[in-house]
mmCIF file of all heavy atoms in Angstrom:
data_model
loop_
_atom_site.group_PDB
_atom_site.id
_atom_site.type_symbol
_atom_site.label_atom_id
_atom_site.label_comp_id
_atom_site.label_asym_id
_atom_site.label_seq_id
_atom_site.Cartn_x
_atom_site.Cartn_y
_atom_site.Cartn_z
ATOM 1 N N ARG A 22 2.926 10.653 -61.270
ATOM 2 C CA ARG A 22 2.824 9.415 -60.518
ATOM 3 C C ARG A 22 3.092 9.703 -59.049
ATOM 4 O O ARG A 22 3.832 10.626 -58.703
ATOM 5 C CB ARG A 22 3.831 8.406 -61.044
ATOM 6 C CG ARG A 22 3.573 7.995 -62.460
ATOM 7 C CD ARG A 22 4.566 7.015 -62.973
ATOM 8 N NE ARG A 22 5.781 6.932 -62.163
ATOM 9 C CZ ARG A 22 6.758 6.081 -62.392
ATOM 10 N NH1 ARG A 22 6.687 5.265 -63.395
ATOM 11 N NH2 ARG A 22 7.828 6.057 -61.628
ATOM 12 N N THR A 23 2.503 8.887 -58.202
ATOM 13 C CA THR A 23 2.666 9.075 -56.769
ATOM 14 C C THR A 23 4.131 9.046 -56.360
ATOM 15 O O THR A 23 4.573 9.876 -55.562
ATOM 16 C CB THR A 23 1.885 7.993 -55.999
ATOM 17 O OG1 THR A 23 0.514 8.078 -56.374
ATOM 18 C CG2 THR A 23 2.004 8.174 -54.504
ATOM 19 N N ASP A 24 4.908 8.122 -56.921
ATOM 20 C CA ASP A 24 6.314 8.066 -56.521
ATOM 21 C C ASP A 24 7.082 9.300 -56.976
ATOM 22 O O ASP A 24 8.034 9.722 -56.324
ATOM 23 C CB ASP A 24 6.994 6.777 -56.974
ATOM 24 C CG ASP A 24 6.960 6.545 -58.459
ATOM 25 O OD1 ASP A 24 6.118 7.132 -59.144
ATOM 26 O OD2 ASP A 24 7.783 5.750 -58.951
ATOM 27 N N ASP A 25 6.657 9.924 -58.083
ATOM 28 C CA ASP A 25 7.285 11.181 -58.510
ATOM 29 C C ASP A 25 6.992 12.294 -57.509
ATOM 30 O O ASP A 25 7.873 13.104 -57.199
ATOM 31 C CB ASP A 25 6.796 11.601 -59.893
ATOM 32 C CG ASP A 25 7.270 10.684 -60.999
ATOM 33 O OD1 ASP A 25 8.291 9.984 -60.805
ATOM 34 O OD2 ASP A 25 6.612 10.654 -62.062
ATOM 35 N N LEU A 26 5.768 12.344 -57.013
ATOM 36 C CA LEU A 26 5.405 13.364 -56.022
ATOM 37 C C LEU A 26 6.170 13.159 -54.720
ATOM 38 O O LEU A 26 6.666 14.115 -54.121
ATOM 39 C CB LEU A 26 3.899 13.328 -55.749
ATOM 40 C CG LEU A 26 2.998 13.792 -56.878
ATOM 41 C CD1 LEU A 26 1.549 13.527 -56.527
ATOM 42 C CD2 LEU A 26 3.215 15.268 -57.157
ATOM 43 N N ILE A 27 6.264 11.916 -54.305
ATOM 44 C CA ILE A 27 6.987 11.617 -53.070
ATOM 45 C C ILE A 27 8.464 11.956 -53.217
ATOM 46 O O ILE A 27 9.064 12.583 -52.333
ATOM 47 C CB ILE A 27 6.778 10.145 -52.668
ATOM 48 C CG1 ILE A 27 5.317 9.942 -52.254
ATOM 49 C CG2 ILE A 27 7.723 9.741 -51.540
ATOM 50 C CD1 ILE A 27 4.910 8.499 -52.116
ATOM 51 N N THR A 28 9.051 11.578 -54.340
ATOM 52 C CA THR A 28 10.463 11.887 -54.577
ATOM 53 C C THR A 28 10.691 13.391 -54.586
ATOM 54 O O THR A 28 11.652 13.891 -53.981
ATOM 55 C CB THR A 28 10.940 11.252 -55.901
ATOM 56 O OG1 THR A 28 10.806 9.835 -55.794
ATOM 57 C CG2 THR A 28 12.387 11.595 -56.188
ATOM 58 N N ALA A 29 9.809 14.134 -55.238
ATOM 59 C CA ALA A 29 9.940 15.597 -55.277
ATOM 60 C C ALA A 29 9.813 16.191 -53.873
ATOM 61 O O ALA A 29 10.561 17.108 -53.508
ATOM 62 C CB ALA A 29 8.896 16.196 -56.212
ATOM 63 N N ALA A 30 8.898 15.669 -53.080
ATOM 64 C CA ALA A 30 8.720 16.176 -51.714
ATOM 65 C C ALA A 30 9.940 15.855 -50.856
ATOM 66 O O ALA A 30 10.407 16.703 -50.087
ATOM 67 C CB ALA A 30 7.454 15.582 -51.102
ATOM 68 N N LEU A 31 10.464 14.647 -50.978
ATOM 69 C CA LEU A 31 11.672 14.287 -50.229
ATOM 70 C C LEU A 31 12.859 15.156 -50.637
ATOM 71 O O LEU A 31 13.629 15.611 -49.788
ATOM 72 C CB LEU A 31 11.999 12.807 -50.434
ATOM 73 C CG LEU A 31 11.048 11.813 -49.770
ATOM 74 C CD1 LEU A 31 11.289 10.407 -50.300
ATOM 75 C CD2 LEU A 31 11.185 11.863 -48.260
ATOM 76 N N ASP A 32 12.982 15.408 -51.928
ATOM 77 C CA ASP A 32 14.062 16.276 -52.410
ATOM 78 C C ASP A 32 13.901 17.691 -51.865
ATOM 79 O O ASP A 32 14.896 18.348 -51.523
ATOM 80 C CB ASP A 32 14.095 16.298 -53.935
ATOM 81 C CG ASP A 32 14.571 14.984 -54.534
ATOM 82 O OD1 ASP A 32 15.121 14.135 -53.799
ATOM 83 O OD2 ASP A 32 14.377 14.797 -55.757
ATOM 84 N N ARG A 33 12.656 18.163 -51.763
ATOM 85 C CA ARG A 33 12.420 19.507 -51.228
ATOM 86 C C ARG A 33 12.851 19.587 -49.772
ATOM 87 O O ARG A 33 13.427 20.583 -49.325
ATOM 88 C CB ARG A 33 10.939 19.891 -51.374
ATOM 89 C CG ARG A 33 10.633 21.295 -50.873
ATOM 90 C CD ARG A 33 11.391 22.331 -51.691
ATOM 91 N NE ARG A 33 11.300 23.663 -51.149
ATOM 92 C CZ ARG A 33 12.295 24.285 -50.507
ATOM 93 N NH1 ARG A 33 13.466 23.689 -50.331
ATOM 94 N NH2 ARG A 33 12.146 25.505 -50.054
ATOM 95 N N LEU A 34 12.582 18.529 -49.013
ATOM 96 C CA LEU A 34 12.997 18.525 -47.614
ATOM 97 C C LEU A 34 14.513 18.476 -47.490
ATOM 98 O O LEU A 34 15.084 19.131 -46.605
ATOM 99 C CB LEU A 34 12.341 17.353 -46.877
ATOM 100 C CG LEU A 34 10.816 17.429 -46.773
ATOM 101 C CD1 LEU A 34 10.271 16.196 -46.070
ATOM 102 C CD2 LEU A 34 10.351 18.709 -46.094
ATOM 103 N N ASP A 35 15.164 17.752 -48.370
ATOM 104 C CA ASP A 35 16.639 17.741 -48.389
ATOM 105 C C ASP A 35 17.181 19.150 -48.621
ATOM 106 O O ASP A 35 18.111 19.594 -47.938
ATOM 107 C CB ASP A 35 17.167 16.811 -49.478
ATOM 108 C CG ASP A 35 16.979 15.335 -49.165
ATOM 109 O OD1 ASP A 35 16.837 14.975 -47.979
ATOM 110 O OD2 ASP A 35 16.979 14.539 -50.119
ATOM 111 N N ARG A 36 16.610 19.846 -49.607
ATOM 112 C CA ARG A 36 17.069 21.211 -49.896
ATOM 113 C C ARG A 36 16.770 22.161 -48.741
ATOM 114 O O ARG A 36 17.554 23.068 -48.452
ATOM 115 C CB ARG A 36 16.423 21.728 -51.186
ATOM 116 C CG ARG A 36 16.971 21.079 -52.438
ATOM 117 C CD ARG A 36 16.530 21.783 -53.716
ATOM 118 N NE ARG A 36 15.149 22.192 -53.760
ATOM 119 C CZ ARG A 36 14.125 21.409 -54.132
ATOM 120 N NH1 ARG A 36 14.336 20.159 -54.487
ATOM 121 N NH2 ARG A 36 12.896 21.884 -54.158
ATOM 122 N N ALA A 37 15.656 21.949 -48.072
ATOM 123 C CA ALA A 37 15.285 22.806 -46.944
ATOM 124 C C ALA A 37 16.331 22.734 -45.828
ATOM 125 O O ALA A 37 16.624 23.744 -45.194
ATOM 126 C CB ALA A 37 13.909 22.404 -46.409
ATOM 127 N N ALA A 38 16.891 21.555 -45.633
ATOM 128 C CA ALA A 38 17.916 21.400 -44.599
ATOM 129 C C ALA A 38 19.116 22.296 -44.876
ATOM 130 O O ALA A 38 19.734 22.828 -43.952
ATOM 131 C CB ALA A 38 18.342 19.935 -44.498
ATOM 132 N N GLU A 39 19.445 22.482 -46.134
ATOM 133 C CA GLU A 39 20.551 23.379 -46.498
ATOM 134 C C GLU A 39 20.109 24.843 -46.467
ATOM 135 O O GLU A 39 20.833 25.710 -45.971
ATOM 136 C CB GLU A 39 21.053 23.021 -47.896
ATOM 137 C CG GLU A 39 22.263 23.812 -48.303
ATOM 138 C CD GLU A 39 22.815 23.374 -49.647
ATOM 139 O OE1 GLU A 39 22.778 22.172 -49.948
ATOM 140 O OE2 GLU A 39 23.283 24.250 -50.387
ATOM 141 N N GLU A 40 18.923 25.116 -46.978
ATOM 142 C CA GLU A 40 18.429 26.498 -47.055
ATOM 143 C C GLU A 40 18.225 27.126 -45.687
ATOM 144 O O GLU A 40 18.281 28.349 -45.553
ATOM 145 C CB GLU A 40 17.113 26.536 -47.832
ATOM 146 C CG GLU A 40 17.271 26.219 -49.295
ATOM 147 C CD GLU A 40 15.934 26.013 -49.995
ATOM 148 O OE1 GLU A 40 14.875 26.123 -49.339
ATOM 149 O OE2 GLU A 40 15.961 25.723 -51.196
ATOM 150 N N THR A 41 17.995 26.301 -44.673
ATOM 151 C CA THR A 41 17.739 26.847 -43.346
ATOM 152 C C THR A 41 18.963 27.551 -42.762
ATOM 153 O O THR A 41 18.845 28.299 -41.796
ATOM 154 C CB THR A 41 17.219 25.757 -42.389
ATOM 155 O OG1 THR A 41 16.644 26.382 -41.247
ATOM 156 C CG2 THR A 41 18.324 24.807 -41.963
ATOM 157 N N LEU A 42 20.123 27.325 -43.371
ATOM 158 C CA LEU A 42 21.307 28.072 -42.949
ATOM 159 C C LEU A 42 21.139 29.565 -43.202
ATOM 160 O O LEU A 42 21.739 30.390 -42.506
ATOM 161 C CB LEU A 42 22.542 27.568 -43.699
ATOM 162 C CG LEU A 42 23.071 26.201 -43.285
ATOM 163 C CD1 LEU A 42 24.079 25.694 -44.311
ATOM 164 C CD2 LEU A 42 23.696 26.278 -41.896
ATOM 165 N N TYR A 43 20.344 29.915 -44.201
ATOM 166 C CA TYR A 43 20.230 31.312 -44.647
ATOM 167 C C TYR A 43 18.820 31.876 -44.581
ATOM 168 O O TYR A 43 18.649 33.089 -44.714
ATOM 169 C CB TYR A 43 20.736 31.426 -46.093
ATOM 170 C CG TYR A 43 22.053 30.738 -46.285
ATOM 171 C CD1 TYR A 43 22.134 29.498 -46.900
ATOM 172 C CD2 TYR A 43 23.231 31.300 -45.808
ATOM 173 C CE1 TYR A 43 23.348 28.841 -47.058
ATOM 174 C CE2 TYR A 43 24.448 30.649 -45.957
ATOM 175 C CZ TYR A 43 24.501 29.425 -46.583
ATOM 176 O OH TYR A 43 25.696 28.780 -46.729
ATOM 177 N N GLU A 44 17.826 31.013 -44.425
ATOM 178 C CA GLU A 44 16.437 31.446 -44.484
ATOM 179 C C GLU A 44 15.645 30.912 -43.293
ATOM 180 O O GLU A 44 15.922 29.828 -42.796
ATOM 181 C CB GLU A 44 15.765 30.913 -45.764
ATOM 182 C CG GLU A 44 16.396 31.365 -47.059
ATOM 183 C CD GLU A 44 16.114 32.814 -47.386
ATOM 184 O OE1 GLU A 44 15.100 33.348 -46.911
ATOM 185 O OE2 GLU A 44 16.918 33.406 -48.114
ATOM 186 N N ASP A 45 14.618 31.658 -42.906
ATOM 187 C CA ASP A 45 13.655 31.180 -41.923
ATOM 188 C C ASP A 45 12.564 30.464 -42.712
ATOM 189 O O ASP A 45 11.770 31.093 -43.411
ATOM 190 C CB ASP A 45 13.080 32.365 -41.144
ATOM 191 C CG ASP A 45 12.036 31.943 -40.134
ATOM 192 O OD1 ASP A 45 11.692 30.736 -40.062
ATOM 193 O OD2 ASP A 45 11.549 32.826 -39.410
ATOM 194 N N LEU A 46 12.532 29.155 -42.641
ATOM 195 C CA LEU A 46 11.638 28.347 -43.468
ATOM 196 C C LEU A 46 10.267 28.108 -42.855
ATOM 197 O O LEU A 46 9.431 27.440 -43.460
ATOM 198 C CB LEU A 46 12.286 26.987 -43.765
ATOM 199 C CG LEU A 46 13.637 27.033 -44.468
ATOM 200 C CD1 LEU A 46 14.173 25.626 -44.643
ATOM 201 C CD2 LEU A 46 13.520 27.739 -45.804
ATOM 202 N N ARG A 47 10.019 28.654 -41.686
ATOM 203 C CA ARG A 47 8.754 28.363 -41.011
ATOM 204 C C ARG A 47 7.535 28.743 -41.834
ATOM 205 O O ARG A 47 6.520 28.080 -41.749
ATOM 206 C CB ARG A 47 8.706 29.042 -39.652
ATOM 207 C CG ARG A 47 9.667 28.398 -38.667
ATOM 208 C CD ARG A 47 9.700 29.119 -37.378
ATOM 209 N NE ARG A 47 10.379 30.411 -37.588
ATOM 210 C CZ ARG A 47 10.636 31.279 -36.641
ATOM 211 N NH1 ARG A 47 10.293 31.025 -35.402
ATOM 212 N NH2 ARG A 47 11.265 32.410 -36.909
ATOM 213 N N GLY A 48 7.610 29.759 -42.653
ATOM 214 C CA GLY A 48 6.457 30.190 -43.433
ATOM 215 C C GLY A 48 6.474 29.715 -44.878
ATOM 216 O O GLY A 48 5.641 30.144 -45.672
ATOM 217 N N TYR A 49 7.387 28.848 -45.229
ATOM 218 C CA TYR A 49 7.501 28.385 -46.615
ATOM 219 C C TYR A 49 6.435 27.326 -46.890
ATOM 220 O O TYR A 49 6.533 26.191 -46.422
ATOM 221 C CB TYR A 49 8.894 27.809 -46.884
ATOM 222 C CG TYR A 49 9.955 28.840 -47.163
ATOM 223 C CD1 TYR A 49 10.013 30.039 -46.464
ATOM 224 C CD2 TYR A 49 10.916 28.604 -48.122
ATOM 225 C CE1 TYR A 49 11.005 30.968 -46.723
ATOM 226 C CE2 TYR A 49 11.917 29.535 -48.390
ATOM 227 C CZ TYR A 49 11.948 30.712 -47.681
ATOM 228 O OH TYR A 49 12.924 31.627 -47.951
ATOM 229 N N ASP A 50 5.432 27.699 -47.672
ATOM 230 C CA ASP A 50 4.331 26.785 -47.963
ATOM 231 C C ASP A 50 4.792 25.520 -48.672
ATOM 232 O O ASP A 50 4.281 24.438 -48.398
ATOM 233 C CB ASP A 50 3.259 27.476 -48.811
ATOM 234 C CG ASP A 50 2.492 28.524 -48.031
ATOM 235 O OD1 ASP A 50 2.468 28.455 -46.780
ATOM 236 O OD2 ASP A 50 1.902 29.414 -48.668
ATOM 237 N N ASP A 51 5.762 25.640 -49.584
ATOM 238 C CA ASP A 51 6.192 24.447 -50.317
ATOM 239 C C ASP A 51 6.879 23.440 -49.397
ATOM 240 O O ASP A 51 6.699 22.225 -49.548
ATOM 241 C CB ASP A 51 7.082 24.806 -51.504
ATOM 242 C CG ASP A 51 8.358 25.524 -51.115
ATOM 243 O OD1 ASP A 51 8.362 26.270 -50.108
ATOM 244 O OD2 ASP A 51 9.363 25.350 -51.825
ATOM 245 N N VAL A 52 7.612 23.932 -48.408
ATOM 246 C CA VAL A 52 8.248 23.031 -47.449
ATOM 247 C C VAL A 52 7.172 22.377 -46.579
ATOM 248 O O VAL A 52 7.213 21.164 -46.339
ATOM 249 C CB VAL A 52 9.285 23.767 -46.583
ATOM 250 C CG1 VAL A 52 9.847 22.856 -45.496
ATOM 251 C CG2 VAL A 52 10.411 24.324 -47.455
ATOM 252 N N ASN A 53 6.207 23.150 -46.141
ATOM 253 C CA ASN A 53 5.120 22.594 -45.330
ATOM 254 C C ASN A 53 4.306 21.566 -46.103
ATOM 255 O O ASN A 53 3.936 20.529 -45.551
ATOM 256 C CB ASN A 53 4.218 23.709 -44.800
ATOM 257 C CG ASN A 53 4.888 24.512 -43.708
ATOM 258 O OD1 ASN A 53 5.593 23.967 -42.865
ATOM 259 N ND2 ASN A 53 4.685 25.809 -43.729
ATOM 260 N N ARG A 54 4.028 21.838 -47.369
ATOM 261 C CA ARG A 54 3.289 20.863 -48.196
ATOM 262 C C ARG A 54 4.090 19.586 -48.371
ATOM 263 O O ARG A 54 3.544 18.482 -48.271
ATOM 264 C CB ARG A 54 2.942 21.459 -49.558
ATOM 265 C CG ARG A 54 1.763 22.407 -49.532
ATOM 266 C CD ARG A 54 1.278 22.761 -50.932
ATOM 267 N NE ARG A 54 2.314 23.315 -51.779
ATOM 268 C CZ ARG A 54 2.615 24.600 -51.871
ATOM 269 N NH1 ARG A 54 1.937 25.485 -51.172
ATOM 270 N NH2 ARG A 54 3.576 25.019 -52.664
ATOM 271 N N ALA A 55 5.390 19.717 -48.618
ATOM 272 C CA ALA A 55 6.248 18.530 -48.768
ATOM 273 C C ALA A 55 6.265 17.724 -47.476
ATOM 274 O O ALA A 55 6.119 16.495 -47.500
ATOM 275 C CB ALA A 55 7.667 18.953 -49.170
ATOM 276 N N LEU A 56 6.423 18.398 -46.356
ATOM 277 C CA LEU A 56 6.446 17.714 -45.067
ATOM 278 C C LEU A 56 5.122 17.003 -44.808
ATOM 279 O O LEU A 56 5.102 15.838 -44.398
ATOM 280 C CB LEU A 56 6.752 18.717 -43.946
ATOM 281 C CG LEU A 56 6.886 18.134 -42.543
ATOM 282 C CD1 LEU A 56 8.078 17.191 -42.454
ATOM 283 C CD2 LEU A 56 7.015 19.268 -41.534
ATOM 284 N N ASN A 57 4.022 17.676 -45.069
ATOM 285 C CA ASN A 57 2.707 17.069 -44.844
ATOM 286 C C ASN A 57 2.495 15.850 -45.733
ATOM 287 O O ASN A 57 1.982 14.825 -45.273
ATOM 288 C CB ASN A 57 1.597 18.091 -45.070
ATOM 289 C CG ASN A 57 1.567 19.156 -43.998
ATOM 290 O OD1 ASN A 57 2.042 18.948 -42.885
ATOM 291 N ND2 ASN A 57 1.030 20.310 -44.322
ATOM 292 N N LEU A 58 2.873 15.942 -46.991
ATOM 293 C CA LEU A 58 2.713 14.819 -47.915
ATOM 294 C C LEU A 58 3.511 13.612 -47.435
ATOM 295 O O LEU A 58 2.988 12.499 -47.344
ATOM 296 C CB LEU A 58 3.151 15.213 -49.328
ATOM 297 C CG LEU A 58 3.178 14.075 -50.348
ATOM 298 C CD1 LEU A 58 1.764 13.587 -50.645
ATOM 299 C CD2 LEU A 58 3.861 14.525 -51.631
ATOM 300 N N ILE A 59 4.763 13.831 -47.111
ATOM 301 C CA ILE A 59 5.628 12.728 -46.701
ATOM 302 C C ILE A 59 5.154 12.118 -45.380
ATOM 303 O O ILE A 59 5.155 10.902 -45.208
ATOM 304 C CB ILE A 59 7.091 13.211 -46.579
ATOM 305 C CG1 ILE A 59 7.624 13.599 -47.952
ATOM 306 C CG2 ILE A 59 7.974 12.151 -45.937
ATOM 307 C CD1 ILE A 59 7.512 12.522 -49.000
ATOM 308 N N CYS A 60 4.739 12.955 -44.464
ATOM 309 C CA CYS A 60 4.385 12.466 -43.131
ATOM 310 C C CYS A 60 3.016 11.803 -43.070
ATOM 311 O O CYS A 60 2.763 11.026 -42.147
ATOM 312 C CB CYS A 60 4.472 13.608 -42.130
ATOM 313 S SG CYS A 60 6.187 14.091 -41.819
#
């Protein structure tokens, strides 16, 4: 369902905020896809 996809994308962005402490997320396709979907 669309709301499931949106929720999953929002959750991915939440996790990215924490992961950026340890990783360079600029090339992470899943983060970019989540950002594009939400935006």
Side-chain angles (χ1 to χ4, degrees):
R22 296 180 344 176
T23 302
D24 58 340
D25 292 338
L26 291 173
I27 292 168
T28 298
L31 290 167
D32 290 346
R33 182 63 189 106
L34 295 178
D35 288 338
R36 288 191 318 275
E39 185 176 324
E40 292 170 0
T41 196
L42 287 167
Y43 312 103
E44 300 287 335
D45 178 357
L46 302 178
R47 290 176 289 183
Y49 279 40
D50 290 338
D51 61 329
V52 174
N53 288 321
R54 282 191 304 271
L56 183 64
N57 290 336
L58 173 68
I59 294 305
C60 289

